[in-house]
Amino acid sequence: MQQSFEPPGEHLQCYAAGSTAGSGGKGAVCSPVCGHPYAGLVSHLRTSWLSGRTRPMEYRVAQLEALGRFLDDKKEEILEATASDMGKPCFEAFFSEILLCKNELHQTLNNLGQWMKDEHVGKNLVTQLDSAFIRKEPYGVVLIIGPWNYPIHLLLVPLIGAIAAGNCVIVKPSEISKNTERLVAESLSCYLDNDCYAVVTGGVQETTKLLENKFDFIFFTGSPAVGRVVMSAAARHLTPVTLELGGKNPCYVSDSCHVQNAARRLAWGRFFNAGQTCIAPDYVLCSLEMQEKLMPALREAIAEFFGPNPQESPDFGRIVGDKQFRRVRALLGSGRVAMGGQTDEEERYIAPTVLADVLPSDPIMQEEVFGPILPIVVVANMDEAIDFINARPRPLAVYAFSSDSKVVNQVLERTSSGGFCGNDTLMHLTLTSLPFGGIGNSGLGKYHGKFTFDTFSHQRGCLHRNMGLEALNSPRYPPYSQQKLGLVTATFEIKRRGMCTIL
């Protein structure tokens, strides 16, 4: 997932998200040039958290409901802002930025009472009369840094879990999607409690200073390179982190698959949001025979989705910025342009493009594409495809298409990735019941649904013992003896269950 800290603009400000839900007033405003305002902001939020203000379930529900009103009230403004930032089609923006956020919100509100309950656990013989449980506690003051490609979804979904878990939160939207950043900074303040939630805007300078503060948890979505910077800053305070990164997501297309269906699902996943999606299929692995079959099917799918000239289609987005446009355009030199390839720098338009005969050494195979280009790398068979995947950093997602479920299962069992989807693309992201996150170079930690609540909760192991019955404790006290050791062993030992061995 691409993320960079750009130089700040002239009039950037940090906004502490405003008064209690629905008050309509802007929260406290401070300028980054006034010294180091973030230490005071973090301190203010920590005071609120220590007061216990965010802990009651009623408070958490009220703030989450206020967040729902933000999504409802600002729906049109969100659609306009994302269209201005990256030409995001209304359908894609509503689906990814609003509908999926509302799903996360409703899933959380529907289950929060159950998630918050103490989880009682098994006990040994000595503690049978006591209470042993896991208490789900907030970390404290957490920082959420969002990216530009899904600037509402990837900011608010973790915020939902952080609020649900009882934390105070500073959110940092991306400065690259500047219209959405402005909307969040100016409008979120009208809905959330400004003593507990804040929005900080700015670029690399502001983010660097923000990361100098001690947080209790940091949640970052962006590139592996910036993820290392965030993790290094967190390490200075021993702050736990979740890093939602990205990488090159492979898609194996076997010779035994419905070519037209595979092409449509591939094209949708690759060209959704103009390819600026961290879990988009980054490249295809298939045989030479399948490459020749896929070409006309992909051409047909692209024409069906976007018409004869995708530049005129209202359903195809644009690259977010000039810097990003130039980077993606440079990747068109890899392999052979089988379809597409047209660009317009003024509009930051890059046509839906398929590259054939791409070599592993080509530039496009050295970095995450993050644009509307689909390279195809020819392999001899499934085994070679799996070896190709396993020889590279573990991706955020692996995709496999085949009419033979054994092939799909082989790819699943013999590869490692943050997530997996067979015979489709992106769709695993839509399930709040599945954890979403990377592994290795593609990320650390997971979220969505209850997993988000768990990510922002410290699971505190608790044992509450009876003050009486002291005779039960005497075997563990000195002076020690063999008899006492026998009693302690009998009451504390966990034995392996019996196993039947077939000779």
Side-chain angles (χ1 to χ4, degrees), residues 3-9 12-13 85 145-149 151 155 172-182 200-207 220 226 320 323-324:
Q3 166 82 34
S4 62
F5 296 152
E6 297 293 335
L12 293 175
Q13 296 171 312
D85 285 330
I145 303 175
W148 52 260
N149 59 326
L155 197 70
K172 166 62 179 70
S174 172
E175 72 283 4
I176 295 175
S177 47
K178 57 182 182 297
N179 293 288
T180 314
E181 177 198 42
R182 186 180 304 115
V200 169
T201 65
V204 62
Q205 177 183 334
E206 288 78 14
T207 306
F220 169 79
V226 181
V320 70
K323 176 183 174 183
Q324 290 77 14

Side-chain angles (χ1 to χ4, degrees), residues 37 65 116 169 195 246 257 285 313 372 383 420-422:
E65 289 177 340
M116 287 177 62
V169 189
D195 287 323
C257 75
L285 296 168
S313 171
D383 290 335
F420 177 87
C421 186

Side-chain angles (χ1 to χ4, degrees), residues 87-99:
K88 189 172 290 196
C90 178
F91 180 98
E92 292 185 2
F94 177 79
F95 176 70
S96 61
E97 306 283 14
I98 296 175
L99 178 61

Side-chain angles (χ1 to χ4, degrees), residues 265-344:
R265 297 174 194 187
L266 256 175
W268 178 73
R270 175 69 272 181
F271 303 124
F272 191 93
N273 199 33
Q276 297 163 113
T277 303
C278 59
I279 57 166
D282 200 83
Y283 61 94
V284 170
L285 296 168
C286 66
S287 67
L288 183 60
E289 179 185 357
M290 177 51 64
Q291 178 178 256
E292 298 309 309
K293 291 179 181 178
L294 265 180
M295 288 303 174
L298 285 168
R299 189 182 302 277
E300 182 180 330
I302 291 170
E304 177 188 349
F305 293 169
F306 308 116
N309 183 4
Q311 189 169 3
E312 298 176 353
S313 171
D315 300 321
F316 186 72
R318 298 296 186 265
I319 304 301
V320 70
D322 295 336
K323 176 183 174 183
Q324 290 77 14
F325 171 85
R326 289 190 292 269
R327 184 195 65 81
V328 176
R329 182 178 60 183
L331 299 177
L332 291 169
S334 299
R336 168 174 60 89
V337 176
M339 63 193 75
Q342 300 84 6
T343 67
D344 184 332

Side-chain angles (χ1 to χ4, degrees), residues 1 122 197 323 386:
M1 180 174 295
Y197 310 104
K323 176 183 174 183
I386 290 172

Side-chain angles (χ1 to χ4, degrees), residues 2-77:
Q2 299 293 325
Q3 166 82 34
S4 62
F5 296 152
E6 297 293 335
E10 293 180 358
H11 304 293
L12 293 175
Q13 296 171 312
C14 64
Y15 297 82
S19 54
T20 51
S23 68
K26 185 187 287 187
V29 179
C30 59
S31 169
V33 299
C34 65
H36 197 325
Y38 307 128
L41 179 61
V42 173
S43 177
H44 181 76
L45 266 62
R46 191 171 304 283
T47 299
S48 297
W49 181 72
L50 289 172
S51 75
R53 183 168 178 163
T54 62
R55 287 179 176 259
M57 179 177 170
E58 294 76 15
Y59 177 89
R60 305 183 197 190
V61 168
Q63 295 300 304
L64 291 171
E65 289 177 340
L67 204 55
R69 288 195 293 276
F70 166 78
L71 287 169
D72 289 336
D73 295 348
K74 301 300 177 181
K75 171 187 168 184
E76 293 303 322
E77 292 177 51

Side-chain angles (χ1 to χ4, degrees), residues 52-259:
R53 183 168 178 163
T54 62
R55 287 179 176 259
M57 179 177 170
E58 294 76 15
Y59 177 89
R60 305 183 197 190
V61 168
Q63 295 300 304
L64 291 171
E65 289 177 340
L67 204 55
R69 288 195 293 276
F70 166 78
L71 287 169
D72 289 336
D73 295 348
K74 301 300 177 181
K75 171 187 168 184
E76 293 303 322
E77 292 177 51
I78 290 170
L79 299 180
E80 291 170 7
T82 53
S84 297
D85 285 330
M86 51 203 315
K88 189 172 290 196
C90 178
F91 180 98
E92 292 185 2
F94 177 79
F95 176 70
S96 61
E97 306 283 14
I98 296 175
L99 178 61
L100 293 183
C101 276
K102 292 295 288 289
N103 286 352
E104 289 281 342
L105 186 64
H106 294 159
Q107 173 80 354
T108 300
L109 286 168
N110 289 344
N111 295 281
L112 183 56
Q114 185 63 38
W115 295 348
M116 287 177 62
K117 287 181 179 177
D118 290 343
E119 181 182 336
H120 291 272
V121 298
K123 294 171 285 187
N124 56 30
L125 191 60
V126 176
T127 57
Q128 283 301 306
L129 300 178
D130 305 320
S131 179
F133 56 94
I134 300 169
R135 172 71 49 90
K136 286 66 174 286
E137 294 189 339
Y139 275 103
V141 179
V142 307
L143 172 63
I144 297 172
I145 303 175
W148 52 260
N149 59 326
Y150 293 93
I152 296 294
H153 179 112
L154 295 177
L155 197 70
L156 294 197
V157 170
L159 176 59
I160 288 166
I163 292 173
N167 298 282
C168 288
V169 189
I170 292 178
V171 293
K172 166 62 179 70
S174 172
E175 72 283 4
I176 295 175
S177 47
K178 57 182 182 297
N179 293 288
T180 314
E181 177 198 42
R182 186 180 304 115
L183 172 64
V184 170
E186 294 178 355
S187 299
L188 200 59
S189 60
C190 301
Y191 296 85
L192 297 180
D193 179 356
N194 73 329
D195 287 323
C196 300
Y197 310 104
V199 180
V200 169
T201 65
V204 62
Q205 177 183 334
E206 288 78 14
T207 306
T208 301
K209 284 193 171 294
L210 188 59
L211 285 168
E212 291 174 359
N213 293 275
K214 175 174 169 45
F215 291 95
D216 300 301
F217 195 93
I218 297 176
F219 189 105
F220 169 79
T221 304
S223 70
V226 181
R228 291 184 181 94
V229 174
V230 172
M231 194 169 187
S232 177
R236 289 196 290 270
H237 301 289
L238 295 180
T239 299
V241 297
T242 287
L243 302 177
E244 292 297 334
L245 309 177
K248 297 189 70 62
N249 306 311
C251 178
Y252 173 62
V253 180
S254 80
D255 289 339
S256 60
C257 75
H258 192 293
V259 179

